[in-house]
Amino acid sequence: MDDTDRRTRTDAPRADDAPEWEVFRRGTTEEPLRHVGSVTAPTSEVAHEHADTLFPDAVALWLCRSDLVERFDERTLGAAYSHDSDGTMSETGTDGGRDRGDASDGDRAAPPGGVEP
């Protein structure tokens, strides 16, 4: 690979201000929903069109705006919670380990239940 083929990391904002949508897919009626990625679209209807194009064989597609998803992982959970002497976990941080981006508690709406095809 020569130097002209290398890509560099950028901190520039995305060119598109449309929201990102998390996509959950069920392949058969027996399968559980599985997170399969995300799409960028201005509305849930357009997001559904994009997801349906990517996963035309899905029996169900659920979409949820990424900025409305509460995210937990070991890193933030471990930083915000500690084990008590009795083995239970107690909150030590101010936000309960949730990755909320720039929104405050009062700005959170309940995430939509999803969009069925």
Side-chain angles (χ1 to χ4, degrees):
M1 174 189 295
D2 63 29
D3 288 335
T4 59
D5 292 334
R6 294 191 180 162
R7 296 178 191 217
T8 58
R9 185 174 189 275
T10 181
D11 292 323
R14 292 176 44 199
D16 188 354
D17 289 337
E20 195 167 313
W21 299 80
E22 298 303 322
V23 180
F24 297 85
R25 172 191 176 271
R26 185 184 320 267
T28 68
T29 55
E30 294 80 29
E31 289 181 15
L33 281 172
R34 295 190 191 282
H35 181 257
V36 292
S38 59
V39 295
T40 301
T43 66
S44 63
E45 290 81 10
V46 174
H48 178 252
E49 289 175 15
H50 291 326
D52 195 47
T53 299
L54 293 169
F55 305 103
D57 59 333
V59 297
L61 291 170
W62 286 29
L63 304 167
C64 183
R65 279 184 56 144
S66 295
D67 60 345
L68 298 178
V69 175
E70 298 291 340
R71 298 175 184 191
F72 298 86
D73 63 30
E74 288 183 30
R75 184 181 62 241
T76 57
L77 184 63
Y81 286 80
S82 64
H83 287 280
D84 291 337
S85 60
D86 64 355
T88 60
M89 303 221 12
S90 63
E91 185 174 352
T92 59
T94 58
D95 69 355
R98 294 172 281 188
D99 178 7
R100 294 183 169 273
D102 294 334
S104 67
D105 286 344
D107 294 337
R108 278 286 163 195
V115 177
E116 292 287 340

